[in-house]
Amino acid sequence: NAGVTQTPKFQVLKTGQSMTLQCAQDMNHEYMSWYRQDPGMGLRLIHYSVGAGITDQGEVPNGYNVSRSTTEDFPLRLLSAAPSQTSVYFCASSYPGRMNTEAFFGQGTRLTVV
Amino acid sequence: AQSVTQLGSHVSVSEGALVLLRCNYSSSVPPYLFWYVQYPNQGLQLLLKYTSAATLVKGINGFEAEFKKSETSFHLTKPSAHMSDAAEYFCAVSRSSNTGKLIFGQGTTLQVKP
């Protein structure tokens, strides 16, 4: 089972460039989320989606855009990369439900902005 | 607002010793609580979760955690550390079964000495 797949695994960008981080899940999960991980700060929520066509902001949304046209895919777009966006990005998916609730994470994308 | 505090960014134990990783949360509603483990250059893997059923929760790899409402704590323990337990551990909370919006602690790196 593929689970949550993120591409690319590594990326170097120049300041001002734009790019899209891809995330796909094959578990038919309704919820999908993007987090960034920085040393000493844990993971912080960037954007999330509760279903196709529905997205909302998390704790640190500035500089990022998302859309959710299908259940499977939830891409994260960096509009104009800045060095402060150097981080490891994780995509997660989950299915709402009291007993089975759990978020599944991808392997991460390590982004460096120079 | 919800928050999570993990006491101690680094914990070092000897192989075979007790592992205790501390997590305190704040939440205005009964929380859902999670412990995740991250091995180097990997994504996050769920160790265990509390979803208002039994207060003592058993997880994978011999870990367990106890939900103590009076202390707002959800500490992670393992009776005997193994070298393979060396990793970073994250405590997380969500307001409801919407696990698309997790709030993470800062993380604790566990070192296991031979």
Side-chain angles (χ1 to χ4, degrees):
Chain A
N1 291 338
V4 179
T5 302
Q6 291 183 235
T7 55
K9 288 185 169 53
F10 301 94
Q11 183 71 50
V12 178
L13 286 180
K14 293 183 179 178
T15 298
Q17 286 185 317
S18 63
M19 79 160 294
T20 299
L21 279 63
Q22 302 291 344
C23 176
Q25 53 93 7
D26 62 358
M27 297 172 282
N28 201 33
H29 285 169
E30 293 183 22
Y31 293 170
M32 295 187 75
S33 312
W34 277 103
Y35 297 86
R36 60 177 289 172
Q37 181 181 19
D38 301 293
M41 303 186 73
L43 281 77
R44 292 178 293 168
L45 182 64
I46 304 172
H47 286 284
Y48 69 98
S49 169
V50 298
I54 306 171
T55 64
D56 205 348
Q57 296 181 351
E59 181 184 354
V60 288
N62 291 342
Y64 308 95
N65 270 0
V66 292
S67 60
R68 184 111 177 259
S69 57
T70 67
T71 300
E72 295 78 20
D73 301 298
F74 191 43
L76 178 72
R77 284 182 288 275
L78 279 70
L79 308 174
S80 177
S84 61
Q85 294 179 303
T86 294
S87 187
V88 182
Y89 291 85
F90 287 99
C91 179
S93 73
S94 60
Y95 191 84
R98 185 177 180 84
M99 297 305 295
N100 295 322
T101 186
E102 174 187 344
F104 293 83
F105 285 81
Q107 295 296 295
T109 295
R110 187 174 296 273
L111 176 68
T112 302
V113 182
V114 297
Chain B
Q2 294 177 302
S3 67
V4 177
T5 301
Q6 292 183 239
L7 299 176
S9 58
H10 288 85
V11 171
S12 181
V13 301
S14 298
E15 191 174 18
L18 171 72
V19 175
L20 171 59
L21 304 182
R22 300 178 186 272
C23 173
N24 288 89
Y25 69 91
S26 68
S27 176
S28 58
V29 297
Y32 287 60
L33 293 159
F34 307 84
W35 275 100
Y36 281 88
V37 61
Q38 184 182 32
Y39 299 103
N41 300 314
Q42 298 287 318
L44 277 72
Q45 178 184 3
L46 182 70
L47 274 178
L48 48 79
K49 59 187 176 187
Y50 167 76
T51 57
S52 75
T55 56
L56 182 61
V57 180
K58 294 188 183 298
I60 62 171
N61 301 337
F63 285 94
E64 63 181 35
E66 186 172 9
F67 172 69
K68 292 187 176 181
K69 184 177 180 180
S70 61
E71 299 178 7
T72 61
S73 68
F74 190 56
H75 301 333
L76 181 71
T77 60
K78 181 174 180 177
S80 177
H82 192 273
M83 296 297 291
S84 62
D85 294 327
E88 189 161 20
Y89 293 80
F90 292 96
C91 182
V93 63
S94 72
R95 180 183 178 89
S96 67
S97 60
N98 179 357
T99 48
K101 294 180 66 177
L102 292 172
I103 306 297
F104 283 86
Q106 303 92 320
T108 298
T109 299
L110 176 65
Q111 179 187 24
V112 182
K113 298 176 292 185

